Amino acid sequence: MRATWIIIGAVFALGACTEEEMPGPQDGRTLYMQNCAACHGADATGNGPAAADLDPRPADLTQIAARNGGTMPRAEVMSMIDGYARGTVPHGMPAFGELLEGDLVPFDSGDGRQTPTPRKLVALLEYLESVQTTE
C-alpha cells in the first residue's frame, strides 16, 4: 500500500512540473561554485585550489562528453553527483546530501523516461552539460 502512495505522489510531482520550473545551467553554476569548484576549479578543468593536494587529481569536467564520444552520459554523471556510483569514484568525492533535498523535477537520463529527481541535482547536471568543450 505504501508503494502505491509513493507512485501516486511521484505522478503528481511530475504532473505539477512545467517547463518554466525546470532548472537551467545558471541554477547549477551556483551549486557548482559552492560544492565543486574547490577541487574541480572555477572553470571546471580540475585545477581548483584543493586539487594540488589530491591524488589522483580531480577530473576535467569540461571533457566529460569528449571522453564519451561527444555524448554527455547523463545517467553516469548523475550517478556520480548523487552518490549512487560513489564506490567507483577513485578520489573519494564527498557526498552532497543537501543536493538531495528540496523539490523534484522530471529528469530524463537519456532513456526517454522521466524520473522524479531533486531539482539541485538536475541543475548541477545542466551546468556541467553547458561547460562541455571539444578541445
Side-chain angles (χ1 to χ4, degrees), residues 31-99:
L31 293 167
Y32 175 85
M33 295 306 288
Q34 293 169 344
N35 295 285
C36 312
C39 295
H40 292 281
D43 63 358
T45 60
N47 64 353
D53 296 329
L54 299 175
D55 184 29
R57 294 190 50 100
D60 179 345
L61 300 179
T62 67
Q63 295 293 304
I64 298 169
R67 289 190 298 266
N68 288 281
T71 303
M72 183 73 160
R74 292 172 60 88
E76 180 182 325
V77 172
M78 183 61 76
S79 69
M80 293 295 215
I81 296 169
D82 72 11
Y84 187 75
R86 197 64 74 214
T88 63
V89 179
H91 52 76
M93 216 172 76
F96 301 116
E98 71 276 359
L99 295 180

Side-chain angles (χ1 to χ4, degrees), residues 7-18 21 104-106 116:
I7 292 170
I8 290 171
V11 168
F12 279 114
L14 285 175
C17 294
T18 65
E21 296 176 10
L104 304 176
V105 296

